């Protein structure tokens, strides 16, 4: 029901067939060329990177908006899974047999690392990782990836990557207010970042991260999009032309946000 029986005629539906083929072919690298030792984190190498490869192939085949729909499903999978996980949540680098972590969360985090570093830099790190590990079948550990990421990341980027892979980090972005006046939008954006433990208890973390803010018109055309550094409670001013209809924060789901309902606000001039 996920291969031969899929009806692929409706191009508005998620491309489940292309997704499945890309994922399974990706295991020729993630699982065969790079074969992890059994234990915590093995599923991160085998499945999370196959999920990431799947997204990259689908982006080339169907575009970024299509990937956004898949990431939304992965986000729901992760958040629902962690809410019902009685074994205790683990970070990605120590993921066990918990599909919502190594599939859902893994997909989102690696996609975010690609945005953070740039695809070329991440590919450089992955090529070096594969070349180093392909001759060590059965001995690879997820921590072996980290030095390769370190070489292509600055200090700030690497600190974020360490958090995303080695901790349980969650976000909540919200547009508290937004108005259009004299050809500019003034928006108050709140950003909350927390670290969770295995039982789901959260403690606040400081945040200072570059997050996409986008403005679209009523037909969905992008009027403005760029990254703004958010550090908790920010007022941003955006010059716009045309007729702005909606302002969004993190429109491409590059962070694991617990509540997407407050990530956008309708605009009226």
């Amino acid at each position: 029901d996920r291969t031969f029986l899929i009806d692929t005629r409706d191009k508005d539906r998620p491309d489940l067939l292309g997704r499945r083929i890309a994922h399974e072919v990706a295991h020729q690298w993630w699982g065969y060329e790079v074969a992890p030792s059994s234990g915590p984190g093995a599923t991160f190498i085998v499945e999370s990177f196959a999920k990431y490869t799947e997204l990259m192939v689908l982006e080339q085949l169907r575009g970024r908006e299509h990937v956004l729909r898949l990431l939304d499903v992965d986000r729901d999978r992760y958040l629902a899974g962690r809410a019902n996980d009685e074994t205790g949540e683990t970070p990605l680098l120590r993921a066990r047999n918990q599909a919502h972590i190594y599939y859902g969360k893994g997909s989102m985090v690696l996609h975010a690392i690609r945005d953070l570093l740039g695809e070329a830099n991440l590919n450089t790190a992955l090529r070096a990782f594969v070349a180093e590990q392909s001759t060590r079948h059965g001995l690879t550990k997820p921590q072996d990836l980290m030095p390769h990421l370190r070489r292509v990341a600055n200090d700030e980027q690497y600190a974020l990557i360490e958090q995303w892979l080695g901790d349980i980090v969650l976000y909540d972005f919200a547009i508290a207010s937004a108005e259009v006046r004299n050809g500019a939008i003034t928006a108050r954006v709140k950003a909350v970042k927390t670290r969770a433990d295995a039982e789901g208890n959260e403690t606040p973390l400081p945040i200072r991260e570059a997050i996409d803010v986008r403005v679209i018109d009523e037909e969905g055309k992008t009027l403005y999009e760029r990254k703004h550094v958010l550090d908790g409670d920010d007022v941003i001013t955006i010059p716009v032309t045309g007729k702005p209809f909606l302002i969004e924060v993190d429109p491409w789901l590059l962070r694991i946000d617990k509540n997407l309902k407050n990530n956008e606000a309708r605009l009226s001039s």
Side-chain angles (χ1 to χ4, degrees):
D1 61 346
R2 287 186 287 183
T3 48
F4 295 109
L5 300 183
I6 291 176
D7 185 347
T8 61
R9 290 173 293 183
D10 185 353
K11 298 306 179 183
D12 290 330
R13 296 181 61 191
D15 185 358
L16 300 180
L17 185 59
R19 179 180 183 176
R20 169 65 60 172
I21 292 171
H23 183 99
E24 303 309 337
V25 171
H27 282 309
Q28 296 298 317
W29 288 264
W30 313 116
Y32 290 93
E33 284 292 316
V34 180
S37 55
S38 60
T43 51
F44 168 65
I45 292 177
V46 174
E47 296 297 350
S48 297
F49 277 104
K51 285 286 291 181
Y52 170 72
T53 308
E54 162 194 321
L55 290 180
M56 295 301 94
V57 172
L58 265 293
E59 182 173 287
Q60 291 191 36
L61 291 175
R62 302 289 291 272
R64 197 177 185 188
E65 290 285 350
H66 193 84
V67 168
L68 180 64
R69 296 171 64 186
L70 302 180
L71 287 170
D72 194 29
V73 173
D74 288 332
R75 171 189 169 274
D76 287 345
R77 182 178 194 173
Y78 168 61
L79 293 179
R82 73 185 300 267
N84 297 290
D85 190 345
E86 297 179 355
T87 64
E89 185 171 359
T90 59
L92 267 171
L93 285 183
R94 300 199 301 275
R96 303 189 300 268
N97 190 27
Q98 297 159 295
H100 63 284
I101 296 177
Y102 60 73
Y103 280 141
K105 182 180 180 180
S107 171
M108 293 197 70
V109 167
L110 290 174
H111 189 253
I113 291 175
R114 176 237 194 172
D115 177 77
L116 183 71
L117 297 178
E119 187 173 353
N121 284 332
L122 180 53
N123 284 345
T124 295
L126 295 183
R127 284 191 194 98
F129 177 57
V130 171
E132 178 185 72
Q133 303 302 324
S134 61
T135 59
R136 298 173 56 191
H137 292 297
L139 298 177
T140 304
K141 292 181 171 59
Q143 290 78 9
D144 295 331
L145 170 68
M146 301 306 288
H148 300 291
L149 293 174
R150 185 67 185 96
R151 291 187 190 100
V152 298
N154 62 35
D155 291 345
E156 186 176 329
Q157 292 168 336
Y158 189 69
L160 262 182
I161 292 169
E162 283 190 308
Q163 277 191 336
W164 292 344
L165 297 180
D167 281 327
I168 302 166
V169 180
L170 300 162
Y171 294 81
D172 187 9
F173 300 116
I175 298 178
S177 63
E179 64 174 358
V180 184
R181 186 175 297 175
N182 299 325
I185 300 168
T186 301
R188 184 181 176 194
V189 182
K190 294 188 175 183
V192 175
K193 181 179 180 180
T194 57
R195 174 187 287 120
D197 62 19
E199 287 72 43
N201 303 305
E202 296 180 29
T203 55
L205 286 174
I207 182 171
R208 183 174 175 77
E209 298 178 28
I211 306 297
D212 290 305
V213 176
R214 179 171 70 169
V215 177
I216 61 175
D217 64 16
E218 203 160 2
E219 297 179 351
K221 179 185 176 182
T222 298
L223 302 178
Y224 174 94
E225 181 178 351
R226 77 175 183 87
K227 293 184 184 294
H228 288 259
V229 176
L230 304 181
D231 56 12
D233 194 345
D234 302 270
V235 176
I236 60 177
T237 301
I238 300 170
V240 290
T241 56
K243 296 181 178 180
F245 174 71
L246 196 73
I247 180 171
E248 309 168 286
V249 58
D250 192 26
W252 302 108
L253 297 185
L254 294 169
R255 301 294 187 271
I256 300 177
D257 193 322
K258 296 184 295 181
N259 177 19
L260 294 181
K261 293 181 180 179
N262 56 8
N263 284 37
E264 60 183 38
R266 293 273 295 269
L267 297 165
S268 58
S269 52

